[in-house]
Amino acid sequence: MSKPVLLVIAHGSRDPRHAATVHALVRQVRARRPGVRVETGFLEFNLPSVAGKLESLAAEGVRDIVALPLLLTRAFHAKADIPSVLSEAPARLRIRQADVLGPSPLLTAALQRRLYEAGLSPADKSSTGVVLAAAGSTDPEAIAVIAEIAREWRRTGWCAVRPAFASGGSLPRTGDVVGSLRALGCARVVVAPYFLAPGRLPDRVAREAGGADLLAPVLGAAPEVARVLLARYDSAVAGSALTAVGA
């Protein structure tokens, strides 16, 4: 029996760096799992659209699909937008919606590796305060997840780890948290952007991080992200962490 097609669903952006990062990540996933067909669809701004990709897969005769949201938290897009699009898919398709990528210890490891790649020394960890800069959301569940990631990451030996948000009316902002960590007495303050790809919100974080000693790049096509993505696919295929759509 052939394995279900993995359809990676990205949000999309007018910023070309977003789609380029998504495609780079998908190439990594394909290389890691050559026996699985991996396709990409975008909710908006970029092509192919999710709806268009589902139509073309159905026209090819594909039956089973795992739709995987390329998202870090279960906010509006994962809870509403994506299920709505999937519900309009051709009736012959059997679609299982996998869980979002976060939280995961692998993603936290990738955040830490990005900080080290940007110039932080592992020996500086205990005296360094980290701003965990995320997108923000009107969904309290998504905000609570980011706060919990910060609490768990703090326990691995940092001076402090505190969340900050770039949108959705969520507070505090990156610059405010940089200041609070200075006031706390951390010898240095660094910013770890919890974003999958460059774009408007990571750029906002960068502008607000001027008082920090170091700003890491976004997660991007990190190998840890590819590993999490495949783990979510495997869970969906096994029958856990999924929602059947149109079955």
Side-chain angles (χ1 to χ4, degrees):
M1 180 184 297
S2 61
K3 296 179 180 179
V5 171
L6 169 55
L7 176 60
V8 176
I9 299 180
H11 182 272
S13 172
R14 293 186 179 91
D15 189 322
R17 297 173 296 171
H18 174 88
T21 302
V22 171
H23 293 313
L25 177 60
V26 168
R27 286 193 296 271
Q28 275 212 43
V29 172
R30 287 177 178 144
R32 287 174 174 270
R33 195 68 65 85
V36 174
R37 179 176 176 181
V38 186
E39 299 290 343
T40 308
F42 295 90
L43 289 174
E44 53 185 341
F45 301 121
N46 302 106
L47 293 174
S49 68
V50 176
K53 178 55 69 173
L54 291 170
E55 291 283 353
S56 66
L57 289 171
E60 288 181 36
V62 169
R63 172 63 173 162
D64 292 310
I65 295 174
V66 169
L68 195 153
L70 197 62
L71 301 169
L72 294 172
T73 60
R74 275 186 49 78
F76 184 79
H77 294 305
K79 294 179 178 179
D81 284 349
I82 291 175
S84 177
V85 173
L86 296 181
S87 70
E88 299 296 323
R92 75 175 312 277
L93 294 175
R94 183 166 57 239
I95 303 174
R96 289 170 281 185
Q97 183 177 330
D99 204 356
V100 297
L101 300 183
S104 168
L106 282 170
L107 296 178
T108 308
L111 287 169
Q112 184 160 296
R113 186 168 57 79
R114 289 297 192 222
L115 286 169
Y116 292 154
E117 290 171 350
L120 188 69
S121 167
D124 296 331
K125 187 173 181 178
S126 63
S127 57
T128 298
V130 180
V131 182
L132 179 64
S137 175
T138 56
D139 188 320
E141 178 188 349
I143 297 300
V145 166
I146 300 300
E148 179 61 22
I149 292 170
R151 283 191 292 269
E152 290 295 323
W153 201 14
R154 161 69 180 83
R155 296 188 182 109
T156 66
W158 296 97
C159 173
V161 180
R162 292 184 178 175
F165 303 98
S167 69
S170 306
L171 295 173
R173 298 298 196 201
T174 298
D176 296 329
V177 179
V178 169
S180 70
L181 291 174
R182 293 278 187 216
L184 185 65
C186 297
R188 65 194 57 76
V189 177
V190 299
V191 178
Y194 192 54
F195 294 89
L196 286 168
R200 178 176 58 88
L201 294 182
D203 285 350
R204 180 179 296 171
V205 168
R207 290 193 300 271
E208 295 177 356
D213 297 293
L214 183 149
L215 170 67
V218 297
L219 290 168
E224 296 91 342
V225 178
R227 289 171 60 192
V228 174
L229 198 153
L230 284 168
R232 298 292 185 257
Y233 170 82
D234 290 340
S235 292
V237 170
S240 60
L242 63 85
T243 300
V245 181

